[in-house]
Amino acid sequence: MTVTIRSKKNRGFKRRLLLLVLLVLIWFSHKEIGKLWYPFKYQELIYHYAEVNHLDPLLVAAVIKTESNFNPRATSPKGARGLMQIMPDTANWISQQIGSGPLKSENLLYPETSISLGTWYLSDLFSEFKNDPVLVIAAYNAGRGNVTHWLNEQHWTGERKTIDQIPFMETRQYIRRVLWNQKVYHYLYGME
């Protein structure tokens, strides 16, 4: 009986010790583990086009993570394509704004094309919405016309604390995911 009690205590102690060792290992390598869940592919392109368009590259990474999870071949049911999930009509409009010719929708599947157009579009939204990241993120998802309508009709105050006023649940969730992803990217990659 004493042997059985002692072996149970030893197993309990060994389990607690193993758990403690695992927690210590996780604590000291949590950023490396986090980077597995939050990859940062295409860093050179993202940093380049973020700089060209005066954006936080980690916001761009957060948008890409939210939109496509860094899958350059992603296509939404509505037809948005590429890393930054740009609609072909929007891509053509952007292409005209920057002085390029018409754009084939399959070109949105190229990372550089998607990132260059997506960052230009984000920058344009920042200009329109007076550098308010919450309004910009909402407009990137729901369209600038919808956001302007919500603000003009006082459906939404435009503040982060009143996101629940937004009529589109998808947009409310999208804003929260992008802002969360941006925090994570700043934590994991911001001090390097």
Side-chain angles (χ1 to χ4, degrees):
M1 183 91 160
T2 324
V3 173
T4 308
I5 293 172
R6 219 179 260 156
S7 74
K8 283 184 180 181
K9 283 184 179 180
N10 282 341
R11 272 187 276 157
F13 175 76
K14 288 178 183 177
R15 285 183 185 154
R16 285 191 296 273
L17 184 60
L18 179 61
L19 179 62
L20 179 62
V21 168
L22 285 173
L23 289 174
V24 168
L25 287 174
I26 289 171
W27 175 255
F28 284 108
S29 62
H30 66 281
K31 280 193 174 184
E32 300 312 312
I33 293 169
K35 288 177 181 182
L36 294 174
W37 292 99
Y38 287 84
F40 194 177
K41 300 175 184 175
Y42 312 107
Q43 281 189 42
E44 279 188 39
L45 289 172
I46 291 169
Y47 273 94
H48 171 73
Y49 286 105
E51 183 178 344
V52 166
N53 291 293
H54 311 289
L55 298 170
D56 172 6
L58 301 175
L59 171 62
V60 176
V63 168
I64 293 171
K65 170 74 173 163
T66 306
E67 288 287 353
S68 68
N69 200 25
F70 288 90
N71 176 2
R73 305 209 52 84
T75 303
S76 78
K78 293 181 182 177
R81 305 184 88 180
L83 289 171
M84 297 195 73
Q85 290 293 282
I86 303 169
M87 294 295 287
D89 288 345
T90 303
N92 275 319
W93 177 80
I94 295 168
S95 188
Q96 290 172 0
Q97 298 302 306
I98 61 177
S100 298
L103 184 76
K104 294 179 181 177
S105 63
E106 58 266 16
N107 288 352
L108 289 170
L109 302 178
Y110 293 113
E112 185 163 11
T113 302
S114 185
I115 293 168
S116 68
L117 296 177
T119 54
W120 184 92
Y121 188 53
L122 280 170
S123 180
D124 189 57
L125 292 171
F126 269 103
S127 294
E128 181 173 343
F129 291 105
K130 298 176 179 47
N131 292 318
D132 186 318
V134 174
L135 294 176
V136 168
I137 295 166
Y140 194 87
N141 177 259
R144 59 179 25 138
N146 282 324
V147 172
T148 300
H149 174 75
W150 299 335
L151 296 171
N152 290 342
E153 297 299 314
Q154 298 179 343
H155 293 295
W156 179 35
T157 64
E159 297 171 318
R160 184 177 185 166
K161 66 183 179 187
T162 60
I163 289 172
D164 286 328
Q165 295 175 343
I166 296 172
F168 297 173
M169 183 175 67
E170 175 191 334
T171 302
R172 294 190 303 260
Q173 293 172 340
Y174 180 81
I175 294 167
R176 288 183 178 109
R177 279 195 311 267
V178 170
L179 291 174
W180 170 258
N181 288 341
Q182 184 182 21
K183 281 183 185 179
V184 171
Y185 275 97
H186 271 279
Y187 178 72
L188 294 175
Y189 299 96
M191 298 299 212
E192 294 185 341

PDB file of all heavy atoms in Angstrom, residues 135-164:
ATOM      1  N   LEU A 135     -11.627  53.617 -39.673  1.00  0.00           N
ATOM      2  CA  LEU A 135     -12.428  53.945 -40.853  1.00  0.00           C
ATOM      3  C   LEU A 135     -11.815  53.332 -42.111  1.00  0.00           C
ATOM      4  O   LEU A 135     -12.531  52.827 -42.984  1.00  0.00           O
ATOM      5  CB  LEU A 135     -12.554  55.461 -41.014  1.00  0.00           C
ATOM      6  CG  LEU A 135     -13.344  56.194 -39.937  1.00  0.00           C
ATOM      7  CD1 LEU A 135     -13.299  57.701 -40.165  1.00  0.00           C
ATOM      8  CD2 LEU A 135     -14.780  55.708 -39.874  1.00  0.00           C
ATOM      9  N   VAL A 136     -10.487  53.369 -42.192  1.00  0.00           N
ATOM     10  CA  VAL A 136      -9.797  52.806 -43.356  1.00  0.00           C
ATOM     11  C   VAL A 136     -10.039  51.305 -43.452  1.00  0.00           C
ATOM     12  O   VAL A 136     -10.353  50.780 -44.524  1.00  0.00           O
ATOM     13  CB  VAL A 136      -8.286  53.131 -43.294  1.00  0.00           C
ATOM     14  CG1 VAL A 136      -7.504  52.328 -44.325  1.00  0.00           C
ATOM     15  CG2 VAL A 136      -8.070  54.627 -43.494  1.00  0.00           C
ATOM     16  N   ILE A 137      -9.890  50.613 -42.351  1.00  0.00           N
ATOM     17  CA  ILE A 137     -10.090  49.160 -42.344  1.00  0.00           C
ATOM     18  C   ILE A 137     -11.537  48.831 -42.700  1.00  0.00           C
ATOM     19  O   ILE A 137     -11.804  47.910 -43.475  1.00  0.00           O
ATOM     20  CB  ILE A 137      -9.685  48.561 -40.984  1.00  0.00           C
ATOM     21  CG1 ILE A 137      -8.180  48.729 -40.758  1.00  0.00           C
ATOM     22  CG2 ILE A 137     -10.085  47.089 -40.888  1.00  0.00           C
ATOM     23  CD1 ILE A 137      -7.731  48.493 -39.322  1.00  0.00           C
ATOM     24  N   ALA A 138     -12.480  49.604 -42.160  1.00  0.00           N
ATOM     25  CA  ALA A 138     -13.894  49.393 -42.492  1.00  0.00           C
ATOM     26  C   ALA A 138     -14.126  49.601 -43.987  1.00  0.00           C
ATOM     27  O   ALA A 138     -14.811  48.807 -44.639  1.00  0.00           O
ATOM     28  CB  ALA A 138     -14.779  50.339 -41.678  1.00  0.00           C
ATOM     29  N   ALA A 139     -13.541  50.658 -44.543  1.00  0.00           N
ATOM     30  CA  ALA A 139     -13.725  50.957 -45.966  1.00  0.00           C
ATOM     31  C   ALA A 139     -13.044  49.921 -46.846  1.00  0.00           C
ATOM     32  O   ALA A 139     -13.550  49.589 -47.925  1.00  0.00           O
ATOM     33  CB  ALA A 139     -13.188  52.355 -46.283  1.00  0.00           C
ATOM     34  N   TYR A 140     -11.918  49.387 -46.422  1.00  0.00           N
ATOM     35  CA  TYR A 140     -11.231  48.352 -47.193  1.00  0.00           C
ATOM     36  C   TYR A 140     -12.128  47.127 -47.323  1.00  0.00           C
ATOM     37  O   TYR A 140     -12.169  46.485 -48.362  1.00  0.00           O
ATOM     38  CB  TYR A 140      -9.900  47.985 -46.541  1.00  0.00           C
ATOM     39  CG  TYR A 140      -9.000  47.174 -47.459  1.00  0.00           C
ATOM     40  CD1 TYR A 140      -8.139  47.816 -48.345  1.00  0.00           C
ATOM     41  CD2 TYR A 140      -9.021  45.785 -47.456  1.00  0.00           C
ATOM     42  CE1 TYR A 140      -7.319  47.091 -49.196  1.00  0.00           C
ATOM     43  CE2 TYR A 140      -8.209  45.047 -48.302  1.00  0.00           C
ATOM     44  CZ  TYR A 140      -7.361  45.704 -49.173  1.00  0.00           C
ATOM     45  OH  TYR A 140      -6.565  44.970 -50.032  1.00  0.00           O
ATOM     46  N   ASN A 141     -12.893  46.843 -46.291  1.00  0.00           N
ATOM     47  CA  ASN A 141     -13.769  45.665 -46.305  1.00  0.00           C
ATOM     48  C   ASN A 141     -15.125  45.956 -46.944  1.00  0.00           C
ATOM     49  O   ASN A 141     -15.589  45.191 -47.788  1.00  0.00           O
ATOM     50  CB  ASN A 141     -13.965  45.148 -44.881  1.00  0.00           C
ATOM     51  CG  ASN A 141     -14.924  43.983 -44.822  1.00  0.00           C
ATOM     52  OD1 ASN A 141     -16.085  44.156 -44.470  1.00  0.00           O
ATOM     53  ND2 ASN A 141     -14.444  42.804 -45.166  1.00  0.00           N
ATOM     54  N   ALA A 142     -15.768  47.023 -46.523  1.00  0.00           N
ATOM     55  CA  ALA A 142     -17.157  47.276 -46.928  1.00  0.00           C
ATOM     56  C   ALA A 142     -17.294  48.250 -48.089  1.00  0.00           C
ATOM     57  O   ALA A 142     -18.381  48.387 -48.650  1.00  0.00           O
ATOM     58  CB  ALA A 142     -17.946  47.804 -45.732  1.00  0.00           C
ATOM     59  N   GLY A 143     -16.215  48.936 -48.420  1.00  0.00           N
ATOM     60  CA  GLY A 143     -16.271  49.941 -49.478  1.00  0.00           C
ATOM     61  C   GLY A 143     -16.386  51.337 -48.889  1.00  0.00           C
ATOM     62  O   GLY A 143     -17.081  51.547 -47.901  1.00  0.00           O
ATOM     63  N   ARG A 144     -15.706  52.253 -49.541  1.00  0.00           N
ATOM     64  CA  ARG A 144     -15.705  53.635 -49.038  1.00  0.00           C
ATOM     65  C   ARG A 144     -17.099  54.253 -49.083  1.00  0.00           C
ATOM     66  O   ARG A 144     -17.450  55.038 -48.207  1.00  0.00           O
ATOM     67  CB  ARG A 144     -14.686  54.477 -49.786  1.00  0.00           C
ATOM     68  CG  ARG A 144     -14.914  54.550 -51.269  1.00  0.00           C
ATOM     69  CD  ARG A 144     -13.920  55.415 -52.028  1.00  0.00           C
ATOM     70  NE  ARG A 144     -12.655  55.569 -51.402  1.00  0.00           N
ATOM     71  CZ  ARG A 144     -11.489  55.539 -52.003  1.00  0.00           C
ATOM     72  NH1 ARG A 144     -11.424  55.390 -53.306  1.00  0.00           N
ATOM     73  NH2 ARG A 144     -10.372  55.704 -51.352  1.00  0.00           N
ATOM     74  N   GLY A 145     -17.883  53.881 -50.082  1.00  0.00           N
ATOM     75  CA  GLY A 145     -19.241  54.432 -50.172  1.00  0.00           C
ATOM     76  C   GLY A 145     -20.096  54.029 -48.988  1.00  0.00           C
ATOM     77  O   GLY A 145     -20.850  54.855 -48.452  1.00  0.00           O
ATOM     78  N   ASN A 146     -20.010  52.786 -48.570  1.00  0.00           N
ATOM     79  CA  ASN A 146     -20.777  52.333 -47.403  1.00  0.00           C
ATOM     80  C   ASN A 146     -20.354  53.064 -46.140  1.00  0.00           C
ATOM     81  O   ASN A 146     -21.198  53.519 -45.363  1.00  0.00           O
ATOM     82  CB  ASN A 146     -20.626  50.822 -47.193  1.00  0.00           C
ATOM     83  CG  ASN A 146     -21.480  50.021 -48.146  1.00  0.00           C
ATOM     84  OD1 ASN A 146     -22.588  50.404 -48.492  1.00  0.00           O
ATOM     85  ND2 ASN A 146     -20.945  48.896 -48.592  1.00  0.00           N
ATOM     86  N   VAL A 147     -19.055  53.194 -45.934  1.00  0.00           N
ATOM     87  CA  VAL A 147     -18.568  53.861 -44.727  1.00  0.00           C
ATOM     88  C   VAL A 147     -19.009  55.323 -44.716  1.00  0.00           C
ATOM     89  O   VAL A 147     -19.488  55.829 -43.698  1.00  0.00           O
ATOM     90  CB  VAL A 147     -17.034  53.729 -44.589  1.00  0.00           C
ATOM     91  CG1 VAL A 147     -16.511  54.587 -43.443  1.00  0.00           C
ATOM     92  CG2 VAL A 147     -16.652  52.263 -44.392  1.00  0.00           C
ATOM     93  N   THR A 148     -18.885  55.991 -45.841  1.00  0.00           N
ATOM     94  CA  THR A 148     -19.321  57.387 -45.929  1.00  0.00           C
ATOM     95  C   THR A 148     -20.821  57.494 -45.637  1.00  0.00           C
ATOM     96  O   THR A 148     -21.254  58.386 -44.892  1.00  0.00           O
ATOM     97  CB  THR A 148     -19.000  57.960 -47.326  1.00  0.00           C
ATOM     98  OG1 THR A 148     -17.583  57.879 -47.529  1.00  0.00           O
ATOM     99  CG2 THR A 148     -19.448  59.403 -47.454  1.00  0.00           C
ATOM    100  N   HIS A 149     -21.597  56.585 -46.184  1.00  0.00           N
ATOM    101  CA  HIS A 149     -23.048  56.565 -45.935  1.00  0.00           C
ATOM    102  C   HIS A 149     -23.347  56.364 -44.445  1.00  0.00           C
ATOM    103  O   HIS A 149     -24.172  57.075 -43.871  1.00  0.00           O
ATOM    104  CB  HIS A 149     -23.716  55.473 -46.773  1.00  0.00           C
ATOM    105  CG  HIS A 149     -25.164  55.291 -46.490  1.00  0.00           C
ATOM    106  ND1 HIS A 149     -26.128  56.179 -46.925  1.00  0.00           N
ATOM    107  CD2 HIS A 149     -25.821  54.327 -45.789  1.00  0.00           C
ATOM    108  CE1 HIS A 149     -27.313  55.781 -46.513  1.00  0.00           C
ATOM    109  NE2 HIS A 149     -27.155  54.657 -45.824  1.00  0.00           N
ATOM    110  N   TRP A 150     -22.679  55.402 -43.819  1.00  0.00           N
ATOM    111  CA  TRP A 150     -22.915  55.136 -42.392  1.00  0.00           C
ATOM    112  C   TRP A 150     -22.598  56.360 -41.544  1.00  0.00           C
ATOM    113  O   TRP A 150     -23.318  56.671 -40.599  1.00  0.00           O
ATOM    114  CB  TRP A 150     -22.085  53.963 -41.898  1.00  0.00           C
ATOM    115  CG  TRP A 150     -22.377  52.663 -42.574  1.00  0.00           C
ATOM    116  CD1 TRP A 150     -23.546  52.289 -43.194  1.00  0.00           C
ATOM    117  CD2 TRP A 150     -21.480  51.563 -42.728  1.00  0.00           C
ATOM    118  NE1 TRP A 150     -23.418  51.017 -43.712  1.00  0.00           N
ATOM    119  CE2 TRP A 150     -22.160  50.549 -43.439  1.00  0.00           C
ATOM    120  CE3 TRP A 150     -20.165  51.331 -42.340  1.00  0.00           C
ATOM    121  CZ2 TRP A 150     -21.582  49.330 -43.757  1.00  0.00           C
ATOM    122  CZ3 TRP A 150     -19.584  50.110 -42.646  1.00  0.00           C
ATOM    123  CH2 TRP A 150     -20.282  49.132 -43.347  1.00  0.00           C
ATOM    124  N   LEU A 151     -21.521  57.043 -41.898  1.00  0.00           N
ATOM    125  CA  LEU A 151     -21.141  58.236 -41.141  1.00  0.00           C
ATOM    126  C   LEU A 151     -22.124  59.375 -41.385  1.00  0.00           C
ATOM    127  O   LEU A 151     -22.572  60.037 -40.444  1.00  0.00           O
ATOM    128  CB  LEU A 151     -19.721  58.668 -41.509  1.00  0.00           C
ATOM    129  CG  LEU A 151     -18.601  57.688 -41.153  1.00  0.00           C
ATOM    130  CD1 LEU A 151     -17.282  58.147 -41.771  1.00  0.00           C
ATOM    131  CD2 LEU A 151     -18.466  57.513 -39.652  1.00  0.00           C
ATOM    132  N   ASN A 152     -22.485  59.611 -42.653  1.00  0.00           N
ATOM    133  CA  ASN A 152     -23.398  60.709 -42.991  1.00  0.00           C
ATOM    134  C   ASN A 152     -24.793  60.499 -42.422  1.00  0.00           C
ATOM    135  O   ASN A 152     -25.451  61.453 -42.008  1.00  0.00           O
ATOM    136  CB  ASN A 152     -23.480  60.901 -44.504  1.00  0.00           C
ATOM    137  CG  ASN A 152     -22.203  61.471 -45.079  1.00  0.00           C
ATOM    138  OD1 ASN A 152     -21.376  62.026 -44.365  1.00  0.00           O
ATOM    139  ND2 ASN A 152     -22.025  61.316 -46.387  1.00  0.00           N
ATOM    140  N   GLU A 153     -25.235  59.246 -42.415  1.00  0.00           N
ATOM    141  CA  GLU A 153     -26.587  58.938 -41.909  1.00  0.00           C
ATOM    142  C   GLU A 153     -26.573  58.638 -40.412  1.00  0.00           C
ATOM    143  O   GLU A 153     -27.600  58.246 -39.858  1.00  0.00           O
ATOM    144  CB  GLU A 153     -27.169  57.749 -42.681  1.00  0.00           C
ATOM    145  CG  GLU A 153     -27.360  58.009 -44.165  1.00  0.00           C
ATOM    146  CD  GLU A 153     -28.315  59.150 -44.451  1.00  0.00           C
ATOM    147  OE1 GLU A 153     -29.404  59.205 -43.819  1.00  0.00           O
ATOM    148  OE2 GLU A 153     -27.973  59.996 -45.309  1.00  0.00           O
ATOM    149  N   GLN A 154     -25.428  58.795 -39.797  1.00  0.00           N
ATOM    150  CA  GLN A 154     -25.234  58.583 -38.364  1.00  0.00           C
ATOM    151  C   GLN A 154     -25.623  57.165 -37.906  1.00  0.00           C
ATOM    152  O   GLN A 154     -26.103  56.972 -36.801  1.00  0.00           O
ATOM    153  CB  GLN A 154     -25.977  59.647 -37.565  1.00  0.00           C
ATOM    154  CG  GLN A 154     -25.449  61.028 -37.874  1.00  0.00           C
ATOM    155  CD  GLN A 154     -26.159  62.130 -37.124  1.00  0.00           C
ATOM    156  OE1 GLN A 154     -27.241  61.957 -36.587  1.00  0.00           O
ATOM    157  NE2 GLN A 154     -25.533  63.288 -37.104  1.00  0.00           N
ATOM    158  N   HIS A 155     -25.371  56.190 -38.791  1.00  0.00           N
ATOM    159  CA  HIS A 155     -25.536  54.789 -38.394  1.00  0.00           C
ATOM    160  C   HIS A 155     -24.360  54.370 -37.518  1.00  0.00           C
ATOM    161  O   HIS A 155     -24.464  53.440 -36.731  1.00  0.00           O
ATOM    162  CB  HIS A 155     -25.595  53.873 -39.622  1.00  0.00           C
ATOM    163  CG  HIS A 155     -26.802  54.080 -40.461  1.00  0.00           C
ATOM    164  ND1 HIS A 155     -28.075  53.803 -40.016  1.00  0.00           N
ATOM    165  CD2 HIS A 155     -26.943  54.545 -41.725  1.00  0.00           C
ATOM    166  CE1 HIS A 155     -28.941  54.083 -40.963  1.00  0.00           C
ATOM    167  NE2 HIS A 155     -28.275  54.542 -42.014  1.00  0.00           N
ATOM    168  N   TRP A 156     -23.218  55.043 -37.735  1.00  0.00           N
ATOM    169  CA  TRP A 156     -21.993  54.728 -36.999  1.00  0.00           C
ATOM    170  C   TRP A 156     -21.251  56.022 -36.736  1.00  0.00           C
ATOM    171  O   TRP A 156     -21.147  56.885 -37.613  1.00  0.00           O
ATOM    172  CB  TRP A 156     -21.133  53.774 -37.822  1.00  0.00           C
ATOM    173  CG  TRP A 156     -19.832  53.372 -37.217  1.00  0.00           C
ATOM    174  CD1 TRP A 156     -19.577  53.160 -35.883  1.00  0.00           C
ATOM    175  CD2 TRP A 156     -18.608  53.127 -37.896  1.00  0.00           C
ATOM    176  NE1 TRP A 156     -18.271  52.792 -35.708  1.00  0.00           N
ATOM    177  CE2 TRP A 156     -17.642  52.754 -36.921  1.00  0.00           C
ATOM    178  CE3 TRP A 156     -18.213  53.162 -39.231  1.00  0.00           C
ATOM    179  CZ2 TRP A 156     -16.337  52.437 -37.236  1.00  0.00           C
ATOM    180  CZ3 TRP A 156     -16.907  52.844 -39.545  1.00  0.00           C
ATOM    181  CH2 TRP A 156     -15.986  52.480 -38.560  1.00  0.00           C
ATOM    182  N   THR A 157     -20.720  56.154 -35.537  1.00  0.00           N
ATOM    183  CA  THR A 157     -19.967  57.365 -35.193  1.00  0.00           C
ATOM    184  C   THR A 157     -18.564  57.351 -35.796  1.00  0.00           C
ATOM    185  O   THR A 157     -17.909  58.382 -35.839  1.00  0.00           O
ATOM    186  CB  THR A 157     -19.814  57.509 -33.655  1.00  0.00           C
ATOM    187  OG1 THR A 157     -19.033  56.419 -33.165  1.00  0.00           O
ATOM    188  CG2 THR A 157     -21.169  57.571 -32.964  1.00  0.00           C
ATOM    189  N   GLY A 158     -18.120  56.174 -36.230  1.00  0.00           N
ATOM    190  CA  GLY A 158     -16.790  56.055 -36.805  1.00  0.00           C
ATOM    191  C   GLY A 158     -15.720  55.768 -35.771  1.00  0.00           C
ATOM    192  O   GLY A 158     -14.543  55.653 -36.106  1.00  0.00           O
ATOM    193  N   GLU A 159     -16.114  55.637 -34.524  1.00  0.00           N
ATOM    194  CA  GLU A 159     -15.147  55.385 -33.463  1.00  0.00           C
ATOM    195  C   GLU A 159     -14.965  53.891 -33.233  1.00  0.00           C
ATOM    196  O   GLU A 159     -15.887  53.092 -33.435  1.00  0.00           O
ATOM    197  CB  GLU A 159     -15.623  56.040 -32.164  1.00  0.00           C
ATOM    198  CG  GLU A 159     -15.728  57.547 -32.264  1.00  0.00           C
ATOM    199  CD  GLU A 159     -16.395  58.145 -31.037  1.00  0.00           C
ATOM    200  OE1 GLU A 159     -17.395  57.561 -30.560  1.00  0.00           O
ATOM    201  OE2 GLU A 159     -15.906  59.177 -30.568  1.00  0.00           O
ATOM    202  N   ARG A 160     -13.788  53.560 -32.766  1.00  0.00           N
ATOM    203  CA  ARG A 160     -13.478  52.160 -32.475  1.00  0.00           C
ATOM    204  C   ARG A 160     -14.429  51.578 -31.419  1.00  0.00           C
ATOM    205  O   ARG A 160     -14.861  50.443 -31.517  1.00  0.00           O
ATOM    206  CB  ARG A 160     -12.031  52.059 -32.003  1.00  0.00           C
ATOM    207  CG  ARG A 160     -11.573  50.663 -31.770  1.00  0.00           C
ATOM    208  CD  ARG A 160     -10.121  50.634 -31.367  1.00  0.00           C
ATOM    209  NE  ARG A 160      -9.665  49.270 -31.261  1.00  0.00           N
ATOM    210  CZ  ARG A 160      -8.422  48.914 -31.181  1.00  0.00           C
ATOM    211  NH1 ARG A 160      -7.482  49.823 -31.200  1.00  0.00           N
ATOM    212  NH2 ARG A 160      -8.090  47.660 -31.072  1.00  0.00           N
ATOM    213  N   LYS A 161     -14.764  52.389 -30.417  1.00  0.00           N
ATOM    214  CA  LYS A 161     -15.606  51.892 -29.324  1.00  0.00           C
ATOM    215  C   LYS A 161     -17.053  51.672 -29.761  1.00  0.00           C
ATOM    216  O   LYS A 161     -17.817  51.054 -29.028  1.00  0.00           O
ATOM    217  CB  LYS A 161     -15.540  52.838 -28.120  1.00  0.00           C
ATOM    218  CG  LYS A 161     -16.135  54.208 -28.373  1.00  0.00           C
ATOM    219  CD  LYS A 161     -15.975  55.101 -27.164  1.00  0.00           C
ATOM    220  CE  LYS A 161     -16.549  56.481 -27.455  1.00  0.00           C
ATOM    221  NZ  LYS A 161     -16.293  57.426 -26.409  1.00  0.00           N
ATOM    222  N   THR A 162     -17.428  52.156 -30.955  1.00  0.00           N
ATOM    223  CA  THR A 162     -18.813  51.986 -31.419  1.00  0.00           C
ATOM    224  C   THR A 162     -18.896  51.101 -32.671  1.00  0.00           C
ATOM    225  O   THR A 162     -19.844  51.216 -33.447  1.00  0.00           O
ATOM    226  CB  THR A 162     -19.459  53.358 -31.706  1.00  0.00           C
ATOM    227  OG1 THR A 162     -18.706  54.027 -32.723  1.00  0.00           O
ATOM    228  CG2 THR A 162     -19.540  54.208 -30.445  1.00  0.00           C
ATOM    229  N   ILE A 163     -17.928  50.219 -32.838  1.00  0.00           N
ATOM    230  CA  ILE A 163     -17.919  49.319 -34.002  1.00  0.00           C
ATOM    231  C   ILE A 163     -19.222  48.527 -34.115  1.00  0.00           C
ATOM    232  O   ILE A 163     -19.679  48.227 -35.210  1.00  0.00           O
ATOM    233  CB  ILE A 163     -16.689  48.385 -33.946  1.00  0.00           C
ATOM    234  CG1 ILE A 163     -15.415  49.177 -34.234  1.00  0.00           C
ATOM    235  CG2 ILE A 163     -16.819  47.213 -34.919  1.00  0.00           C
ATOM    236  CD1 ILE A 163     -14.135  48.390 -34.024  1.00  0.00           C
ATOM    237  N   ASP A 164     -19.830  48.231 -32.982  1.00  0.00           N
ATOM    238  CA  ASP A 164     -21.080  47.454 -33.010  1.00  0.00           C
ATOM    239  C   ASP A 164     -22.229  48.186 -33.706  1.00  0.00           C
ATOM    240  O   ASP A 164     -23.250  47.577 -34.017  1.00  0.00           O
ATOM    241  CB  ASP A 164     -21.499  47.043 -31.601  1.00  0.00           C
ATOM    242  CG  ASP A 164     -20.621  45.927 -31.050  1.00  0.00           C
ATOM    243  OD1 ASP A 164     -20.148  45.092 -31.851  1.00  0.00           O
ATOM    244  OD2 ASP A 164     -20.414  45.886 -29.823  1.00  0.00           O
TER     245      ASP A 164
END
